[in-house]
Amino acid sequence: SKLEKVKEGAIAAGAKRVEVFPYDFSNVEESGSVIDKAIEVFGRIDYLVLNHASLANGFLFDREDQQSPQFIDRMFRINTFSILNLALKAMPFLEKSQGHIFVTSSMAGETPVGSSSLYSSTKHALNGFFYSLQQELLARESSVGITIGALGLIVTEDFEAILDEQLDKMPSAMKGDVNECAVGIMDSLVTRSRTYTYPLFFNKFLRSLWYLNPYFQDLSANMIPMDTIRDNLELFQQRARDRGFQKGNF
């Protein structure tokens, strides 16, 4: 499994002990058991990296399966509620260790994404919660820090295979290197920065445009014909299915 590959890579990089706890985070109620297992094995938690997510791609009204209450509920359970639950469950242990939380959010949580409404809304919810929690922890003079990752397109092995020739058509500033991104996340655990934005220039540019002139987002949404976007998404979803992603939701 991919988790076992991560374990092998961590050990090869010098980690003395790595444990894998597979879990289905659509089950929010029991998600805190992951924290319990970590405490049972290691006795403490210094860093909590909240990195799991489910993506739903495609225009919402093109995808009847994404309009059902069950699908929407599952998206929020995985992408939002389970992450909140893990953070709250780990907080007493992080207070003891003066630890730090890294939340893998997205630029889709800061600016709208017309072809990924549900995913974008789950990330907006994450940002609202964790930026507010940052304020509460500061007021409490807590020793726990939080970094919210405003990440854009990170060229992982899966994304490279799914996007394929479309990657070459994207500006280099828009694409993030997976290794650089990982190093940046580790750096933020040490520097305890409030936000980690990557790729830096392109995402700060997007953020500035949205906050200073939201009308630009409306213009850019109409620059590419919807049929072209729809055709590309259908191709990406087929490639995602070929790589084992359910219903092409990579």
Side-chain angles (χ1 to χ4, degrees), residues 133-153:
L133 186 59
Q134 277 182 342
Q135 295 292 313
E136 180 175 341
L137 293 177
L138 286 170
R140 286 162 46 93
E141 297 184 351
S142 170
S143 59
V144 179
I146 299 176
T147 299
I148 292 98
L151 306 184
L153 174 61

Side-chain angles (χ1 to χ4, degrees), residues 153 158-167 170 236 239:
L153 174 61
D158 283 325
F159 267 113
E160 190 169 16
I162 291 168
L163 299 182
D164 198 15
E165 71 282 353
Q166 293 297 325
L167 273 177
M170 298 177 182
F236 298 157
R239 289 173 178 169

Side-chain angles (χ1 to χ4, degrees), residues 1-65:
S1 70
K2 290 185 177 181
L3 288 176
E4 289 297 332
K5 287 183 179 179
V6 171
K7 177 179 179 177
E8 292 170 5
I11 292 174
K16 294 180 179 179
R17 184 177 183 184
V18 180
E19 298 290 339
V20 173
F21 308 131
Y23 190 81
D24 177 3
F25 283 105
S26 64
N27 181 359
V28 176
E29 291 75 12
E30 301 298 326
S31 58
S33 64
V34 175
I35 302 298
D36 292 332
K37 288 180 180 178
I39 293 299
E40 182 182 337
V41 171
F42 297 106
R44 60 184 289 159
I45 296 176
D46 296 285
Y47 302 110
L48 178 64
V49 179
L50 300 167
N51 189 50
H52 64 271
S54 175
L55 277 71
N57 300 282
F59 294 108
L60 187 60
F61 291 104
D62 286 351
R63 300 286 301 273
E64 289 188 11
D65 60 311

Side-chain angles (χ1 to χ4, degrees), residues 72-118:
I72 296 170
D73 178 67
R74 186 174 187 276
M75 280 285 295
F76 273 88
R77 280 176 165 269
I78 295 172
N79 289 11
T80 308
F81 302 147
S82 64
I83 288 179
L84 270 58
N85 193 47
L86 285 171
L88 296 174
K89 178 75 174 181
M91 193 61 68
F93 304 107
L94 291 166
E95 291 277 8
K96 290 179 181 179
S97 66
Q98 299 183 353
H100 196 80
I101 299 173
F102 185 92
V103 184
T104 303
S105 188
S106 168
M107 283 305 296
E110 296 194 28
T111 63
V113 182
S115 59
S116 195
S117 300
L118 285 179

Side-chain angles (χ1 to χ4, degrees), residues 106-114 116-117 119-121 123-124 127 151 202-211 214 217:
S106 168
M107 283 305 296
E110 296 194 28
T111 63
V113 182
S116 195
S117 300
Y119 177 76
S120 181
S121 61
K123 293 298 186 178
H124 272 78
N127 285 359
L151 306 184
F202 187 81
N203 285 357
K204 283 196 170 185
F205 176 68
L206 278 183
R207 181 185 289 137
S208 299
L209 284 177
W210 172 244
Y211 288 126
Q217 197 81 14

